[in-house]
PDB file of all heavy atoms in Angstrom:
ATOM      1  N   MET E  78      25.083  27.948  -3.954  1.00 98.00           N
ATOM      2  CA  MET E  78      25.667  27.013  -4.918  1.00 98.00           C
ATOM      3  C   MET E  78      25.963  27.797  -6.192  1.00 98.00           C
ATOM      4  O   MET E  78      25.217  28.710  -6.558  1.00 98.00           O
ATOM      5  CB  MET E  78      24.711  25.864  -5.237  1.00 98.00           C
ATOM      6  CG  MET E  78      24.362  24.946  -4.077  1.00 98.00           C
ATOM      7  SD  MET E  78      25.715  23.877  -3.553  1.00 98.00           S
ATOM      8  CE  MET E  78      25.713  22.621  -4.819  1.00 98.00           C
ATOM      9  N   THR E  79      27.039  27.430  -6.872  1.00 98.00           N
ATOM     10  CA  THR E  79      27.362  28.042  -8.150  1.00 98.00           C
ATOM     11  C   THR E  79      26.830  27.153  -9.264  1.00 98.00           C
ATOM     12  O   THR E  79      27.189  25.978  -9.352  1.00 98.00           O
ATOM     13  CB  THR E  79      28.888  28.220  -8.307  1.00 98.00           C
ATOM     14  OG1 THR E  79      29.354  29.076  -7.253  1.00 98.00           O
ATOM     15  CG2 THR E  79      29.230  28.839  -9.648  1.00 98.00           C
ATOM     16  N   LEU E  80      25.948  27.707 -10.091  1.00 98.00           N
ATOM     17  CA  LEU E  80      25.425  27.006 -11.255  1.00 98.00           C
ATOM     18  C   LEU E  80      26.424  27.171 -12.392  1.00 98.00           C
ATOM     19  O   LEU E  80      26.805  28.290 -12.726  1.00 98.00           O
ATOM     20  CB  LEU E  80      24.073  27.594 -11.662  1.00 98.00           C
ATOM     21  CG  LEU E  80      23.496  27.110 -12.995  1.00 98.00           C
ATOM     22  CD1 LEU E  80      23.165  25.626 -12.935  1.00 98.00           C
ATOM     23  CD2 LEU E  80      22.269  27.942 -13.357  1.00 98.00           C
ATOM     24  N   VAL E  81      26.857  26.057 -12.978  1.00 98.00           N
ATOM     25  CA  VAL E  81      27.777  26.077 -14.110  1.00 98.00           C
ATOM     26  C   VAL E  81      27.043  25.520 -15.323  1.00 98.00           C
ATOM     27  O   VAL E  81      26.527  24.399 -15.281  1.00 98.00           O
ATOM     28  CB  VAL E  81      29.041  25.235 -13.823  1.00 98.00           C
ATOM     29  CG1 VAL E  81      29.993  25.272 -15.001  1.00 98.00           C
ATOM     30  CG2 VAL E  81      29.730  25.711 -12.542  1.00 98.00           C
ATOM     31  N   THR E  82      26.961  26.323 -16.395  1.00 98.00           N
ATOM     32  CA  THR E  82      26.323  25.900 -17.642  1.00 98.00           C
ATOM     33  C   THR E  82      27.244  26.256 -18.806  1.00 98.00           C
ATOM     34  O   THR E  82      28.305  26.855 -18.608  1.00 98.00           O
ATOM     35  CB  THR E  82      24.960  26.601 -17.849  1.00 98.00           C
ATOM     36  OG1 THR E  82      25.188  27.993 -18.090  1.00 98.00           O
ATOM     37  CG2 THR E  82      24.039  26.414 -16.654  1.00 98.00           C
ATOM     38  N   GLY E  85      28.194  29.916 -18.716  1.00 97.00           N
ATOM     39  CA  GLY E  85      29.080  30.454 -17.690  1.00 97.00           C
ATOM     40  C   GLY E  85      28.631  30.041 -16.304  1.00 97.00           C
ATOM     41  O   GLY E  85      27.975  29.015 -16.127  1.00 97.00           O
ATOM     42  N   GLU E  86      28.966  30.879 -15.321  1.00 98.00           N
ATOM     43  CA  GLU E  86      28.674  30.580 -13.923  1.00 98.00           C
ATOM     44  C   GLU E  86      27.760  31.642 -13.323  1.00 98.00           C
ATOM     45  O   GLU E  86      27.906  32.825 -13.612  1.00 98.00           O
ATOM     46  CB  GLU E  86      29.964  30.493 -13.116  1.00 98.00           C
ATOM     47  CG  GLU E  86      30.862  29.372 -13.580  1.00 98.00           C
ATOM     48  CD  GLU E  86      32.071  29.162 -12.686  1.00 98.00           C
ATOM     49  OE1 GLU E  86      32.205  29.861 -11.650  1.00 98.00           O
ATOM     50  OE2 GLU E  86      32.881  28.275 -13.011  1.00 98.00           O
ATOM     51  N   THR E  87      26.827  31.179 -12.463  1.00 98.00           N
ATOM     52  CA  THR E  87      25.903  32.068 -11.783  1.00 98.00           C
ATOM     53  C   THR E  87      25.800  31.631 -10.332  1.00 98.00           C
ATOM     54  O   THR E  87      25.535  30.453 -10.058  1.00 98.00           O
ATOM     55  CB  THR E  87      24.492  31.994 -12.414  1.00 98.00           C
ATOM     56  OG1 THR E  87      24.591  32.297 -13.811  1.00 98.00           O
ATOM     57  CG2 THR E  87      23.532  32.952 -11.744  1.00 98.00           C
ATOM     58  N   LEU E  88      25.995  32.556  -9.405  1.00 98.00           N
ATOM     59  CA  LEU E  88      25.839  32.249  -7.991  1.00 98.00           C
ATOM     60  C   LEU E  88      24.348  32.196  -7.668  1.00 98.00           C
ATOM     61  O   LEU E  88      23.601  33.130  -7.968  1.00 98.00           O
ATOM     62  CB  LEU E  88      26.534  33.308  -7.130  1.00 98.00           C
ATOM     63  CG  LEU E  88      26.477  33.051  -5.625  1.00 98.00           C
ATOM     64  CD1 LEU E  88      27.218  31.759  -5.269  1.00 98.00           C
ATOM     65  CD2 LEU E  88      27.064  34.237  -4.874  1.00 98.00           C
ATOM     66  N   MET E  89      23.913  31.096  -7.066  1.00 98.00           N
ATOM     67  CA  MET E  89      22.527  30.933  -6.631  1.00 98.00           C
ATOM     68  C   MET E  89      22.512  30.892  -5.110  1.00 98.00           C
ATOM     69  O   MET E  89      23.329  30.201  -4.498  1.00 98.00           O
ATOM     70  CB  MET E  89      21.926  29.649  -7.206  1.00 98.00           C
ATOM     71  CG  MET E  89      21.810  29.652  -8.724  1.00 98.00           C
ATOM     72  SD  MET E  89      21.032  28.147  -9.350  1.00 98.00           S
ATOM     73  CE  MET E  89      19.375  28.314  -8.681  1.00 98.00           C
ATOM     74  N   MET E  93      16.433  30.917  -4.555  1.00 98.00           N
ATOM     75  CA  MET E  93      16.533  30.971  -6.021  1.00 98.00           C
ATOM     76  C   MET E  93      16.230  29.593  -6.606  1.00 98.00           C
ATOM     77  O   MET E  93      16.416  28.559  -5.955  1.00 98.00           O
ATOM     78  CB  MET E  93      17.924  31.441  -6.446  1.00 98.00           C
ATOM     79  CG  MET E  93      18.211  32.875  -6.037  1.00 98.00           C
ATOM     80  SD  MET E  93      19.867  33.411  -6.543  1.00 98.00           S
ATOM     81  CE  MET E  93      19.579  33.723  -8.292  1.00 98.00           C
ATOM     82  N   LEU E 107      25.794  21.995 -10.265  1.00 98.00           N
ATOM     83  CA  LEU E 107      25.984  22.948  -9.182  1.00 98.00           C
ATOM     84  C   LEU E 107      27.229  22.574  -8.393  1.00 98.00           C
ATOM     85  O   LEU E 107      27.477  21.390  -8.154  1.00 98.00           O
ATOM     86  CB  LEU E 107      24.778  22.935  -8.236  1.00 98.00           C
ATOM     87  CG  LEU E 107      23.441  23.323  -8.849  1.00 98.00           C
ATOM     88  CD1 LEU E 107      22.299  22.908  -7.928  1.00 98.00           C
ATOM     89  CD2 LEU E 107      23.395  24.810  -9.116  1.00 98.00           C
TER      90      LEU E 107
END
Side-chain angles (χ1 to χ4, degrees):
M78 296 289 283
T79 299
L80 171 65
V81 180
T82 68
E86 297 187 3
T87 304
L88 182 63
M89 295 182 66
M93 294 180 78
L107 299 165

